[in-house]
Amino acid sequence: MRILLVASAFNSLTQRVHAELRERGHRLGVELALGNDLLRARVAQFEPDLILAPMLTTAIPEDIWTAHTVLIVHPGPKGDRGPSSLDWAIHEDAPEWGVTVLQAVAEMDAGPIWASEPFPVRTCGKSELYRNEVADAAVRAVLLAVERFESGDFTPEPLDYDREDVRGQLRPYHAQEFRRIDWAADSTETVLRKLRAADSQPGVLDELFGKRYFLHGGHREDELRGAPGTLIATRDGAVCRATTDGAVWLPQLRPARTPGGPVVFKRPATDVLGPDLLAGVPEVPVSPTAAATRDTWSELRYREENGVGYLEFAFASGAMSTDQCRRLLAAYRQACERPVDVLVLGPARDFFSNGIHLNVIEAADDAAEESWRNITAMDDLVEAILTTTDKVVISALAGNAAAGGVMLALAADEVWCRESAILNPHYRLMGLYGSEYWTYTLPKRVGQDTADRLTRETLPVGARAAGAIGLVDRVVSGSPAEFWASVRGAAEELAAAPELTERLVQKKQRRAEDEANKPLSAYRAEELAQMRQNFFGADEPYHQLRRNFVHKVCPQATPAHLLA
Ligand code: COA
């Protein structure tokens, strides 16, 4: 079928639906919802059999939904309506929620139902839930709805609140009044729920040192205590704030915008507050090994099980600043000292990595210099992985990765990927040539032609398609927990295999041959020469593209790479 995806942004769920439907042989078009006339023109030109909206915040005009079947993905169970479904689900501590595919009609979210799928509400931020459990349920519901539409004999179910399985309701916008934290009264559990319901957007509006900030993220602290509402510690850019019965970590802040003031965006909390306000608040570090046994906030955790080392990293939004790259490199070097032959890298859930930290760069006094420092730190990390010859290193991708984050994964010997992950192995949309030794690792894996195509087309690649072209080695279905159970089993098997010693000998040999053929330093120098031009050259698009990305500037039209 010819299916036109209409979306407010080509976000991860839209990319996932795109990859899944393309894989099933449908002809896909994408149109960003940037105006009714643009949409009308695109519908007339594409002549879709079906219009599908995986993530839409505006209404489809009546002349389109009367002439075509338009299916809307709504992140709520049957009967749920309104713009803040997931916020309410988390706020009210719902154990289970749903995704419903409905037909567009005049009234928002009130059309006949084509499919509805439940999912468990994990204890995590709203965006993380969206990219994982919601996305998985949405794909199941979309595939079922598309199949039903294609069959031609399915009658969608009218929304009927008298039905027993229609348990949702119309709810208002989840405004800041519902999110407000009362630090003198709210328990840690309540504070965390409010933070999770607002993460990553819009954050919880609050006050610190007499100024208004949006709080982003939120993690329990198991040991530190203090007077409710006070800041009691900092760690790796985050601040810890005491509650009535414990404390929570706040990794990122966004200053509230003042009328006429500059546009602001979120950044590590200690960067936003600055050293003067934080004078007297102690930095309380935790080692990756200690963090693995505690219920505290840490971007790094290290543990060993049955001969396998696991270095877990979890960076908000998958973005890795210069400092974060350096800390991960230090933890990686420590892990390399351990007597294990197999080392697994990757977060428990969500983004593996999205490359250099564009927000931190945007906020720097000299963005070009900070871009340079960040890419250099990233390259140092990748180089350390590439030159590890006494261990088998596995990248485990429970979630999505993009740009330098994909190339970071490729530095390992093997890349294992959850079936739901979406990879964007390209840099061009950010105006960058790219580094992270991608000119060495990508063609080695997929061949030069495919590497050229992937970086030229700049389209997302689903995990199964990535497996088929050799971009990843193993694709595992199921939830993030099931993925990790499978990763642990396979890694332990690898660690116990008699062939491991021989495999490490061969690894060392291959690296030496590759080095003799063309040293890693040459790849690095060539890539960085191009990146230097991107960062420091005149008329380079990178700085404007980064600014647009960080400030979430809406494009004027659907980007050309999505129109093909
Ligand atoms: N630096 C800073 N923030 C980043 C980031 C980066 N490299 N990559 C993603 N983010 C942030 C987004 O701003 C967004 O923030 P929000 O939750 O406050 O809105 C969040 O991460 C999720 O990203 P979003 O774009 O909403 O998610 P998505 O899953 O729909 O799309 C990507 C993911 C990776 C395709 C898209 O974010 C992207 O293109 N990122 C930039 C990749 C890049 O060019 N990196 C630099 C070169 S190495």
Side-chain angles (χ1 to χ4, degrees):
M1 282 197 300
R2 295 175 68 79
I3 304 177
L4 182 64
L5 300 184
V6 179
S8 299
F10 195 49
N11 75 333
S12 53
L13 177 58
T14 311
Q15 296 191 4
R16 175 93 188 278
V17 168
H18 186 269
E20 296 277 353
L21 291 174
R22 204 171 43 160
E23 228 180 278
R24 284 164 179 78
H26 297 292
R27 171 82 205 281
L28 271 295
V30 179
E31 181 68 13
L32 299 189
L34 299 169
N36 289 348
D37 287 341
L38 285 171
L39 184 57
R40 286 187 184 105
R42 178 77 159 133
V43 169
Q45 175 262 331
F46 189 75
E47 297 181 348
D49 300 310
L50 175 67
I51 298 175
L52 183 66
M55 194 282 284
L56 192 62
T57 53
T58 52
I60 300 265
E62 183 172 352
D63 52 305
I64 294 186
W65 59 255
T66 44
H68 299 267
T69 301
V70 178
L71 301 185
I72 312 274
V73 176
H74 176 76
K78 283 184 186 178
D80 178 81
R81 298 175 58 198
S84 305
S85 296
L86 295 176
D87 311 56
W88 285 112
I90 297 171
H91 185 90
E92 294 183 349
D93 211 11
E96 190 182 274
W97 203 242
V99 175
T100 304
V101 177
L102 336 122
Q103 191 161 340
V105 292
E107 228 181 319
M108 276 290 235
D109 307 330
I113 295 161
W114 282 78
S116 189
E117 287 285 323
F119 65 84
V121 181
R122 298 277 173 231
T123 310
C124 65
K126 177 179 56 171
S127 295
E128 183 180 326
L129 188 70
Y130 181 79
R131 284 187 292 265
N132 291 276
E133 284 74 17
V134 177
D136 286 350
V139 166
R140 291 197 303 274
V142 161
L143 294 178
L144 187 58
V146 167
E147 215 176 89
R148 286 172 169 171
F149 176 79
E150 207 170 14
S151 76
D153 59 10
F154 179 79
T155 309
E157 171 192 314
L159 177 60
D160 175 1
Y161 282 99
D162 288 338
R163 283 182 63 124
E164 210 177 292
D165 64 337
V166 178
R167 287 190 287 261
Q169 54 176 292
L170 174 63
R171 288 170 198 266
Y173 173 65
H174 199 88
Q176 285 295 334
E177 65 187 273
F178 302 112
R179 306 186 191 273
R180 193 169 299 125
I181 294 174
D182 183 348
W183 293 94
D186 285 350
S187 66
T188 301
E189 207 39 63
T190 304
V191 171
L192 285 173
R193 234 186 4 256
K194 288 178 178 175
L195 289 166
R196 286 187 197 121
D199 190 40
S200 61
Q201 296 292 349
V204 173
L205 185 57
D206 197 15
E207 250 187 47
L208 278 164
F209 303 107
K211 282 200 181 143
R212 285 161 21 112
Y213 297 94
F214 289 93
L215 315 180
H216 292 276
H219 301 258
R220 185 188 310 280
E221 161 60 27
D222 55 358
E223 290 179 358
L224 301 168
R225 298 293 178 258
T230 55
L231 293 191
I232 52 176
T234 63
R235 175 181 299 155
D236 295 342
V239 292
C240 185
R241 195 166 187 187
T243 60
T244 52
D245 59 351
V248 296
W249 286 95
L250 306 168
Q252 299 193 93
L253 298 177
R254 176 168 58 96
R257 197 177 175 193
T258 48
V263 178
V264 277
F265 47 91
K266 66 180 156 186
R267 287 190 291 140
T270 56
D271 288 5
V272 172
L273 294 173
D276 292 347
L277 289 178
L278 292 171
V281 182
E283 173 80 6
V284 181
V286 64
S287 73
T289 317
T293 62
R294 283 185 49 194
D295 188 8
T296 185
W297 179 79
S298 177
E299 291 176 319
L300 301 170
R301 293 186 143 75
Y302 179 77
R303 69 174 70 83
E304 286 170 12
E305 272 166 32
N306 304 322
V308 179
Y310 297 89
L311 178 54
E312 206 178 290
F313 51 91
F315 300 113
S317 303
M320 295 169 64
S321 68
T322 306
D323 290 346
Q324 287 166 320
C325 290
R326 288 180 181 161
R327 288 196 289 268
L328 179 52
L329 174 57
Y332 181 79
R333 290 207 167 114
Q334 274 176 8
C336 283
E337 298 299 313
R338 299 290 308 160
V340 288
D341 292 330
V342 177
L343 186 54
V344 180
L345 310 176
R349 288 169 55 88
D350 212 16
F351 287 126
F352 180 84
S353 168
N354 284 328
I356 57 178
H357 203 312
L358 300 169
N359 290 32
V360 169
I361 291 169
E362 182 65 17
D365 291 338
D366 186 332
E369 278 298 343
E370 185 50 40
S371 304
W372 182 256
R373 274 162 34 91
N374 201 160
I375 199 67
T376 307
M378 193 75 168
D379 279 1
D380 291 344
L381 170 65
V382 174
E383 184 189 351
I385 301 171
L386 285 171
T387 53
T388 302
T389 50
D390 60 345
K391 291 185 197 315
V392 174
V393 183
I394 313 284
S395 289
L397 278 67
N400 305 342
V406 177
M407 309 310 172
L408 169 65
L410 302 191
D413 300 294
E414 293 199 18
V415 183
W416 298 351
C417 197
R418 190 162 79 90
E419 196 174 33
S420 311
I422 286 287
L423 309 179
N424 276 284
H426 48 81
Y427 300 83
R428 210 156 57 95
L429 299 178
M430 202 51 68
L432 295 171
Y433 176 79
S435 195
E436 289 99 359
Y437 298 85
W438 77 268
T439 52
Y440 170 57
T441 54
L442 186 63
K444 201 152 83 102
R445 279 189 157 264
V446 300
Q448 194 61 53
D449 287 351
T450 304
D452 290 345
R453 179 177 61 76
L454 291 172
T455 49
R456 191 182 57 244
E457 282 182 356
T458 62
L459 285 174
V461 184
R464 280 188 303 271
I469 57 174
L471 185 61
V472 307
D473 303 285
R474 185 187 288 248
V475 178
V476 180
S477 61
S479 66
E482 288 165 333
F483 169 75
W484 274 103
S486 166
V487 166
R488 276 194 298 275
E492 285 173 19
E493 217 171 277
L494 199 63
E499 317 75 81
L500 186 72
T501 316
E502 178 52 27
R503 183 172 171 168
L504 288 172
V505 170
Q506 281 178 15
K507 176 177 179 178
K508 202 170 194 156
Q509 231 166 30
R510 254 199 327 271
R511 176 84 280 285
E513 283 162 16
D514 281 1
E515 188 66 17
N517 199 19
K518 178 173 174 178
L520 283 179
S521 58
Y523 289 100
R524 179 171 175 140
E526 285 166 13
E527 290 171 4
L528 285 181
Q530 300 268 3
M531 289 294 260
R532 214 175 163 79
Q533 175 63 25
N534 296 152
F535 296 154
F536 296 95
D539 301 326
E540 286 283 332
Y542 161 66
H543 293 290
Q544 190 59 48
L545 289 169
R546 185 198 63 242
R547 211 161 292 140
N548 291 349
F549 178 82
V550 170
H551 293 289
K552 302 190 187 300
V553 175
C554 204
Q556 298 290 311
T558 302
H561 72 281
L562 298 178
L563 294 175

